[in-house]
Amino acid sequence: MPARQALAATVVLAALGSVLGGCLPSTTLGTLRPALSFVDTTGGRVAVEHGIAVPSFERQPRPRIDLDGPWRVEDASLDGDLSLTDRAQALAAIEREAGGRQATAFDDSTWDTVPVPGMLDPPPRAPVGGAWYRRHVDVPATWDGRSVTLKFEAANYVVDVWLNGTYLGAHEGGATPFAFDATAALAPGRDNVLAVRVDEPDLGTRVDTVPWGLLDWWSYAGLTGSVWLEASDPVRAARADVVPHLDGADVSVVIENRTDGPVAPAVQLDVYAANLTPANLLDPDPASLLPPLPAVPSNPRLPPAEIGGRPEPAVGRLPVPERPTVTSATLASPTIRARSAAVVTTSLLIPDPALWDLGRPSLYVLRVTVDRPAGGTDSLMETFGLRRIAVDPTAPRLLLNGRAVSLVGAAVHDEVLEPAAAGSTSTIAPQGAPLSTAADALAQLRRAMSVNANFIRAGHEPADANLLRLADRLGIAIWEEIPLYHFTPLTFDAARTRGVAAQLLTEMALRDMNRPSVLFHGLSNESTGGDERTAALAALRDVDRDVDGTRLTGQAAYGFDAADGTSDPLDVVGITSYFGVFYGVDPDADTAAALDAAHARYPKKPVMILEFGHWADTPADEAEQTRIFRATEAAVAPRRDTIEGGFVGSLVWWSLDDYLTSRPGLTIERFGLFAPDGTPRPVAAVLGARFAALDQPPPVVRQPPRQPGREAVDEPPMLAALLLTLAIGLGGPLAIVALLTARGHRRTQPARRALVS
């Protein structure tokens, strides 16, 4: 690190320390290493975490015990340094700290209960440092002999897990899923006890967590996602990854052998056209999208009771019709060693393909069946769509399925706000909770669709799985990102050294591999540093291409810095744009100048405005929201990449909804197009009308014929598309950016200081 940057980083830490009551962030790096790695095996590489292949986290056609609902919980002041220490050195001390809470016989009857998914820290409660969770679960005796996986959708931030007193492992990262092989520790036919230690080190007290500092959103701690047990045959399809093309797909299936001997199973792939209807829109089970079975033909020579199952054709006996497949393949699996895995791959050509597109979300269902010679069958299902997002090699524009698009939309947080009830004595209004249900995600997306948005920036963490599943089914594009939020040269180096950012990106990419709606992976938001940031972003880009490679990469950089060259390694130039709000004077002229400067710096890359907007604390502010939208959009309109000579690929309003914040002195940020009660603010109508006017349905050279069961859900047509991502500030870390960029962004209200998110 150059001496000048080292000095700046020192001043930054001192400034942040003053905000946090004089407590400087610790520059000591934890030794807890990411549990995820890749191993070379027969057929290719396999992502492994906690000793097993990283599985699919979609609902599967397997026996399942949902562990959502009430869990016993006890707040605890946990040792954050211990939490971030390698478990080979720390586990004994952690179990001493536990005082028996991980043991099966521990009495938790006096503990409170909290729902899972849920939170430990409802706003504005101060963080408690962590907690212990416990849950009793009856496992049927029929699970004896099966392989059992324990899956967590999300837990914030460092988690240790015991089953029946047996330690399973640890995970770091607040918004990505993880899993354990629970077979050996499970007791089928008896009561089982799960114990979970969850620690969230106070943000801003150390530099090696991701995120690391004060946030302009509410960081909900605890078991924030679903938890479940899933049983399967010991020889199982762990995951199936689909690389889409416009006429088919490459499929890679990880077969896991959890037995004590070698096995060479048969693998069958079947692809179906998804039957998406309003009735199954919210159903997370891919099987719900399978096309219906054809009617069973009548046969008067057979009693009705005999019509069922899968009888062989014979005289006087009619076979039960099968679901129509789009394509199928039978694969020969290599011999898989005991307690190991292998990869089988194939390329599938899909006749008369229906493409996933904005507002026209054609989907497919992949079913993988694994049969082992000694008996035993396993099935896995995934949904996917055929689409391709790329940068035009001849011009700086986005191409979706080969045609130019300019995306329009809004940014969201994974949060549900509800107005305080009449007569409530709550100290805050509205109330908030992490988004965790499909119904809540649908309500959020319907608000976006009501203003003709077809692009969502899901920031600043990996998005809720419900949101992405519904975006797939509604035809809404997504920018998804990892929480490298306001990183500095020092924290970029810390994240790279510990490997946490790469782990989070890998876990996000693996979870969402088959999501056609996710078009972009964001690698950083409004960060500082030159060489350090460029190196970190280049390394993360390489991780992304190695794991996935079907999405475009970008960051959300400050729009006012025309000299910023840290997007060199990335596919698109993402910026946040607050001219006339936090900096600049004229939101039209200054935005236009900034866009032209970014285009001059990157003449071959689309420029994407990922956030712009204004708060709405007063009626006058609401009028200012409308002015800022009109002026900024006026600068963008003649530069849209769908226009000859244009180069702007997206326009995203910050934000769709108001959101709760942990910034000192504030409870709620009112940047939303919608108030907490769902009422649209005046800017929503103006924005919606303009987004509708920008919608220019692309010319279709050959529209694939719609097949039965392939119709889209009856929704308003998605109009033009633009990425909305804005994140509004860190009150204290304003000092950071002011010091590192020599620019301060101040809201013209007493006691209100904001840094663009």
PDB file of all heavy atoms in Angstrom, residues 473-495:
ATOM      1  N   ARG A 473     -39.949 -16.188 -12.499  1.00  0.00           N
ATOM      2  CA  ARG A 473     -41.292 -16.540 -12.972  1.00  0.00           C
ATOM      3  C   ARG A 473     -42.069 -15.348 -13.506  1.00  0.00           C
ATOM      4  O   ARG A 473     -43.050 -15.533 -14.235  1.00  0.00           O
ATOM      5  CB  ARG A 473     -42.067 -17.212 -11.830  1.00  0.00           C
ATOM      6  CG  ARG A 473     -41.429 -18.517 -11.376  1.00  0.00           C
ATOM      7  CD  ARG A 473     -42.162 -19.180 -10.226  1.00  0.00           C
ATOM      8  NE  ARG A 473     -41.488 -20.422  -9.807  1.00  0.00           N
ATOM      9  CZ  ARG A 473     -41.979 -21.284  -8.935  1.00  0.00           C
ATOM     10  NH1 ARG A 473     -43.175 -21.048  -8.374  1.00  0.00           N
ATOM     11  NH2 ARG A 473     -41.302 -22.364  -8.613  1.00  0.00           N
ATOM     12  N   LEU A 474     -41.637 -14.132 -13.167  1.00  0.00           N
ATOM     13  CA  LEU A 474     -42.331 -12.935 -13.643  1.00  0.00           C
ATOM     14  C   LEU A 474     -41.591 -12.242 -14.783  1.00  0.00           C
ATOM     15  O   LEU A 474     -42.136 -11.326 -15.404  1.00  0.00           O
ATOM     16  CB  LEU A 474     -42.518 -11.946 -12.491  1.00  0.00           C
ATOM     17  CG  LEU A 474     -43.412 -12.423 -11.346  1.00  0.00           C
ATOM     18  CD1 LEU A 474     -43.399 -11.403 -10.210  1.00  0.00           C
ATOM     19  CD2 LEU A 474     -44.831 -12.670 -11.818  1.00  0.00           C
ATOM     20  N   GLY A 475     -40.349 -12.631 -15.026  1.00  0.00           N
ATOM     21  CA  GLY A 475     -39.597 -12.012 -16.111  1.00  0.00           C
ATOM     22  C   GLY A 475     -38.993 -10.680 -15.731  1.00  0.00           C
ATOM     23  O   GLY A 475     -39.045  -9.724 -16.505  1.00  0.00           O
ATOM     24  N   ILE A 476     -38.402 -10.595 -14.539  1.00  0.00           N
ATOM     25  CA  ILE A 476     -37.768  -9.368 -14.049  1.00  0.00           C
ATOM     26  C   ILE A 476     -36.278  -9.621 -13.913  1.00  0.00           C
ATOM     27  O   ILE A 476     -35.859 -10.620 -13.318  1.00  0.00           O
ATOM     28  CB  ILE A 476     -38.359  -8.942 -12.693  1.00  0.00           C
ATOM     29  CG1 ILE A 476     -39.858  -8.691 -12.838  1.00  0.00           C
ATOM     30  CG2 ILE A 476     -37.654  -7.717 -12.143  1.00  0.00           C
ATOM     31  CD1 ILE A 476     -40.562  -8.417 -11.526  1.00  0.00           C
ATOM     32  N   ALA A 477     -35.460  -8.727 -14.446  1.00  0.00           N
ATOM     33  CA  ALA A 477     -34.014  -8.878 -14.386  1.00  0.00           C
ATOM     34  C   ALA A 477     -33.495  -8.441 -13.025  1.00  0.00           C
ATOM     35  O   ALA A 477     -34.060  -7.553 -12.374  1.00  0.00           O
ATOM     36  CB  ALA A 477     -33.347  -8.068 -15.490  1.00  0.00           C
ATOM     37  N   ILE A 478     -32.364  -9.045 -12.607  1.00  0.00           N
ATOM     38  CA  ILE A 478     -31.816  -8.816 -11.276  1.00  0.00           C
ATOM     39  C   ILE A 478     -30.325  -8.490 -11.358  1.00  0.00           C
ATOM     40  O   ILE A 478     -29.574  -9.131 -12.098  1.00  0.00           O
ATOM     41  CB  ILE A 478     -31.990 -10.064 -10.378  1.00  0.00           C
ATOM     42  CG1 ILE A 478     -33.470 -10.394 -10.181  1.00  0.00           C
ATOM     43  CG2 ILE A 478     -31.297  -9.887  -9.022  1.00  0.00           C
ATOM     44  CD1 ILE A 478     -34.223  -9.441  -9.291  1.00  0.00           C
ATOM     45  N   TRP A 479     -29.914  -7.484 -10.571  1.00  0.00           N
ATOM     46  CA  TRP A 479     -28.503  -7.245 -10.247  1.00  0.00           C
ATOM     47  C   TRP A 479     -28.333  -7.709  -8.805  1.00  0.00           C
ATOM     48  O   TRP A 479     -28.952  -7.189  -7.887  1.00  0.00           O
ATOM     49  CB  TRP A 479     -28.165  -5.768 -10.374  1.00  0.00           C
ATOM     50  CG  TRP A 479     -26.801  -5.361  -9.889  1.00  0.00           C
ATOM     51  CD1 TRP A 479     -26.337  -5.366  -8.597  1.00  0.00           C
ATOM     52  CD2 TRP A 479     -25.721  -4.850 -10.684  1.00  0.00           C
ATOM     53  NE1 TRP A 479     -25.050  -4.912  -8.534  1.00  0.00           N
ATOM     54  CE2 TRP A 479     -24.639  -4.586  -9.804  1.00  0.00           C
ATOM     55  CE3 TRP A 479     -25.560  -4.589 -12.037  1.00  0.00           C
ATOM     56  CZ2 TRP A 479     -23.417  -4.062 -10.254  1.00  0.00           C
ATOM     57  CZ3 TRP A 479     -24.347  -4.067 -12.483  1.00  0.00           C
ATOM     58  CH2 TRP A 479     -23.295  -3.813 -11.614  1.00  0.00           C
ATOM     59  N   GLU A 480     -27.497  -8.729  -8.609  1.00  0.00           N
ATOM     60  CA  GLU A 480     -27.269  -9.278  -7.277  1.00  0.00           C
ATOM     61  C   GLU A 480     -25.821  -9.028  -6.885  1.00  0.00           C
ATOM     62  O   GLU A 480     -24.923  -9.116  -7.724  1.00  0.00           O
ATOM     63  CB  GLU A 480     -27.569 -10.781  -7.276  1.00  0.00           C
ATOM     64  CG  GLU A 480     -27.548 -11.399  -5.887  1.00  0.00           C
ATOM     65  CD  GLU A 480     -27.956 -12.861  -5.884  1.00  0.00           C
ATOM     66  OE1 GLU A 480     -27.884 -13.511  -6.949  1.00  0.00           O
ATOM     67  OE2 GLU A 480     -28.337 -13.360  -4.812  1.00  0.00           O
ATOM     68  N   GLU A 481     -25.570  -8.746  -5.602  1.00  0.00           N
ATOM     69  CA  GLU A 481     -24.224  -8.363  -5.215  1.00  0.00           C
ATOM     70  C   GLU A 481     -23.840  -8.916  -3.852  1.00  0.00           C
ATOM     71  O   GLU A 481     -24.690  -9.388  -3.085  1.00  0.00           O
ATOM     72  CB  GLU A 481     -24.065  -6.844  -5.220  1.00  0.00           C
ATOM     73  CG  GLU A 481     -24.966  -6.106  -4.266  1.00  0.00           C
ATOM     74  CD  GLU A 481     -24.974  -4.597  -4.551  1.00  0.00           C
ATOM     75  OE1 GLU A 481     -25.439  -4.198  -5.636  1.00  0.00           O
ATOM     76  OE2 GLU A 481     -24.505  -3.843  -3.684  1.00  0.00           O
ATOM     77  N   ILE A 482     -22.537  -8.877  -3.581  1.00  0.00           N
ATOM     78  CA  ILE A 482     -22.016  -9.261  -2.277  1.00  0.00           C
ATOM     79  C   ILE A 482     -21.712  -7.994  -1.482  1.00  0.00           C
ATOM     80  O   ILE A 482     -21.509  -6.923  -2.060  1.00  0.00           O
ATOM     81  CB  ILE A 482     -20.759 -10.144  -2.418  1.00  0.00           C
ATOM     82  CG1 ILE A 482     -19.674  -9.435  -3.229  1.00  0.00           C
ATOM     83  CG2 ILE A 482     -21.117 -11.479  -3.040  1.00  0.00           C
ATOM     84  CD1 ILE A 482     -18.355 -10.191  -3.296  1.00  0.00           C
ATOM     85  N   PRO A 483     -21.690  -8.074  -0.141  1.00  0.00           N
ATOM     86  CA  PRO A 483     -21.640  -6.850   0.673  1.00  0.00           C
ATOM     87  C   PRO A 483     -20.251  -6.271   0.897  1.00  0.00           C
ATOM     88  O   PRO A 483     -19.846  -5.991   2.022  1.00  0.00           O
ATOM     89  CB  PRO A 483     -22.273  -7.307   1.995  1.00  0.00           C
ATOM     90  CG  PRO A 483     -21.943  -8.745   2.095  1.00  0.00           C
ATOM     91  CD  PRO A 483     -21.976  -9.265   0.683  1.00  0.00           C
ATOM     92  N   LEU A 484     -19.500  -6.059  -0.201  1.00  0.00           N
ATOM     93  CA  LEU A 484     -18.289  -5.245  -0.101  1.00  0.00           C
ATOM     94  C   LEU A 484     -18.738  -3.791  -0.156  1.00  0.00           C
ATOM     95  O   LEU A 484     -18.663  -3.118  -1.179  1.00  0.00           O
ATOM     96  CB  LEU A 484     -17.326  -5.580  -1.236  1.00  0.00           C
ATOM     97  CG  LEU A 484     -16.701  -6.977  -1.197  1.00  0.00           C
ATOM     98  CD1 LEU A 484     -15.732  -7.173  -2.345  1.00  0.00           C
ATOM     99  CD2 LEU A 484     -16.005  -7.233   0.124  1.00  0.00           C
ATOM    100  N   TYR A 485     -19.207  -3.318   0.970  1.00  0.00           N
ATOM    101  CA  TYR A 485     -19.943  -2.060   1.085  1.00  0.00           C
ATOM    102  C   TYR A 485     -19.030  -1.010   1.722  1.00  0.00           C
ATOM    103  O   TYR A 485     -18.558  -1.189   2.843  1.00  0.00           O
ATOM    104  CB  TYR A 485     -21.173  -2.315   1.952  1.00  0.00           C
ATOM    105  CG  TYR A 485     -22.042  -1.119   2.243  1.00  0.00           C
ATOM    106  CD1 TYR A 485     -23.037  -0.739   1.352  1.00  0.00           C
ATOM    107  CD2 TYR A 485     -21.889  -0.391   3.409  1.00  0.00           C
ATOM    108  CE1 TYR A 485     -23.856   0.341   1.627  1.00  0.00           C
ATOM    109  CE2 TYR A 485     -22.699   0.692   3.692  1.00  0.00           C
ATOM    110  CZ  TYR A 485     -23.679   1.061   2.794  1.00  0.00           C
ATOM    111  OH  TYR A 485     -24.490   2.133   3.071  1.00  0.00           O
ATOM    112  N   HIS A 486     -18.751   0.055   0.970  1.00  0.00           N
ATOM    113  CA  HIS A 486     -17.856   1.115   1.432  1.00  0.00           C
ATOM    114  C   HIS A 486     -16.535   0.539   1.920  1.00  0.00           C
ATOM    115  O   HIS A 486     -16.068   0.863   3.012  1.00  0.00           O
ATOM    116  CB  HIS A 486     -18.527   1.958   2.515  1.00  0.00           C
ATOM    117  CG  HIS A 486     -19.606   2.841   1.977  1.00  0.00           C
ATOM    118  ND1 HIS A 486     -19.356   3.938   1.197  1.00  0.00           N
ATOM    119  CD2 HIS A 486     -20.947   2.773   2.085  1.00  0.00           C
ATOM    120  CE1 HIS A 486     -20.499   4.513   0.852  1.00  0.00           C
ATOM    121  NE2 HIS A 486     -21.482   3.819   1.363  1.00  0.00           N
ATOM    122  N   PHE A 487     -15.950  -0.316   1.092  1.00  0.00           N
ATOM    123  CA  PHE A 487     -14.651  -0.871   1.459  1.00  0.00           C
ATOM    124  C   PHE A 487     -13.540   0.138   1.168  1.00  0.00           C
ATOM    125  O   PHE A 487     -13.695   1.034   0.341  1.00  0.00           O
ATOM    126  CB  PHE A 487     -14.409  -2.188   0.723  1.00  0.00           C
ATOM    127  CG  PHE A 487     -14.806  -3.389   1.534  1.00  0.00           C
ATOM    128  CD1 PHE A 487     -16.092  -3.506   2.040  1.00  0.00           C
ATOM    129  CD2 PHE A 487     -13.894  -4.383   1.827  1.00  0.00           C
ATOM    130  CE1 PHE A 487     -16.460  -4.589   2.800  1.00  0.00           C
ATOM    131  CE2 PHE A 487     -14.248  -5.474   2.602  1.00  0.00           C
ATOM    132  CZ  PHE A 487     -15.529  -5.579   3.099  1.00  0.00           C
ATOM    133  N   THR A 488     -12.445  -0.024   1.878  1.00  0.00           N
ATOM    134  CA  THR A 488     -11.289   0.861   1.795  1.00  0.00           C
ATOM    135  C   THR A 488     -10.081   0.033   1.370  1.00  0.00           C
ATOM    136  O   THR A 488     -10.144  -1.201   1.347  1.00  0.00           O
ATOM    137  CB  THR A 488     -11.003   1.495   3.162  1.00  0.00           C
ATOM    138  OG1 THR A 488     -10.513   0.459   4.039  1.00  0.00           O
ATOM    139  CG2 THR A 488     -12.261   2.111   3.762  1.00  0.00           C
ATOM    140  N   PRO A 489      -8.957   0.675   1.043  1.00  0.00           N
ATOM    141  CA  PRO A 489      -7.767  -0.123   0.725  1.00  0.00           C
ATOM    142  C   PRO A 489      -7.453  -1.162   1.801  1.00  0.00           C
ATOM    143  O   PRO A 489      -7.141  -2.313   1.490  1.00  0.00           O
ATOM    144  CB  PRO A 489      -6.669   0.935   0.617  1.00  0.00           C
ATOM    145  CG  PRO A 489      -7.385   2.156   0.146  1.00  0.00           C
ATOM    146  CD  PRO A 489      -8.717   2.114   0.836  1.00  0.00           C
ATOM    147  N   LEU A 490      -7.547  -0.769   3.057  1.00  0.00           N
ATOM    148  CA  LEU A 490      -7.232  -1.686   4.144  1.00  0.00           C
ATOM    149  C   LEU A 490      -8.212  -2.852   4.218  1.00  0.00           C
ATOM    150  O   LEU A 490      -7.820  -4.010   4.371  1.00  0.00           O
ATOM    151  CB  LEU A 490      -7.217  -0.930   5.473  1.00  0.00           C
ATOM    152  CG  LEU A 490      -6.908  -1.752   6.719  1.00  0.00           C
ATOM    153  CD1 LEU A 490      -5.516  -2.357   6.625  1.00  0.00           C
ATOM    154  CD2 LEU A 490      -7.039  -0.891   7.967  1.00  0.00           C
ATOM    155  N   THR A 491      -9.502  -2.573   4.098  1.00  0.00           N
ATOM    156  CA  THR A 491     -10.481  -3.654   4.225  1.00  0.00           C
ATOM    157  C   THR A 491     -10.534  -4.539   2.984  1.00  0.00           C
ATOM    158  O   THR A 491     -10.854  -5.725   3.080  1.00  0.00           O
ATOM    159  CB  THR A 491     -11.879  -3.094   4.561  1.00  0.00           C
ATOM    160  OG1 THR A 491     -12.258  -2.126   3.571  1.00  0.00           O
ATOM    161  CG2 THR A 491     -11.879  -2.439   5.929  1.00  0.00           C
ATOM    162  N   PHE A 492     -10.225  -3.984   1.795  1.00  0.00           N
ATOM    163  CA  PHE A 492     -10.090  -4.839   0.623  1.00  0.00           C
ATOM    164  C   PHE A 492      -8.967  -5.853   0.838  1.00  0.00           C
ATOM    165  O   PHE A 492      -9.118  -7.044   0.551  1.00  0.00           O
ATOM    166  CB  PHE A 492      -9.791  -4.006  -0.635  1.00  0.00           C
ATOM    167  CG  PHE A 492     -11.012  -3.518  -1.363  1.00  0.00           C
ATOM    168  CD1 PHE A 492     -11.231  -2.165  -1.552  1.00  0.00           C
ATOM    169  CD2 PHE A 492     -11.938  -4.411  -1.881  1.00  0.00           C
ATOM    170  CE1 PHE A 492     -12.349  -1.710  -2.229  1.00  0.00           C
ATOM    171  CE2 PHE A 492     -13.059  -3.963  -2.567  1.00  0.00           C
ATOM    172  CZ  PHE A 492     -13.261  -2.609  -2.736  1.00  0.00           C
ATOM    173  N   ASP A 493      -7.841  -5.386   1.344  1.00  0.00           N
ATOM    174  CA  ASP A 493      -6.724  -6.295   1.586  1.00  0.00           C
ATOM    175  C   ASP A 493      -7.091  -7.340   2.637  1.00  0.00           C
ATOM    176  O   ASP A 493      -6.729  -8.519   2.515  1.00  0.00           O
ATOM    177  CB  ASP A 493      -5.491  -5.505   2.035  1.00  0.00           C
ATOM    178  CG  ASP A 493      -4.834  -4.750   0.880  1.00  0.00           C
ATOM    179  OD1 ASP A 493      -5.148  -5.060  -0.286  1.00  0.00           O
ATOM    180  OD2 ASP A 493      -4.005  -3.852   1.150  1.00  0.00           O
ATOM    181  N   ALA A 494      -7.825  -6.924   3.692  1.00  0.00           N
ATOM    182  CA  ALA A 494      -8.216  -7.867   4.742  1.00  0.00           C
ATOM    183  C   ALA A 494      -9.154  -8.932   4.191  1.00  0.00           C
ATOM    184  O   ALA A 494      -9.018 -10.126   4.486  1.00  0.00           O
ATOM    185  CB  ALA A 494      -8.871  -7.119   5.901  1.00  0.00           C
ATOM    186  N   ALA A 495     -10.136  -8.508   3.367  1.00  0.00           N
ATOM    187  CA  ALA A 495     -11.094  -9.459   2.799  1.00  0.00           C
ATOM    188  C   ALA A 495     -10.400 -10.458   1.881  1.00  0.00           C
ATOM    189  O   ALA A 495     -10.721 -11.654   1.876  1.00  0.00           O
ATOM    190  CB  ALA A 495     -12.190  -8.712   2.043  1.00  0.00           C
TER     191      ALA A 495
END
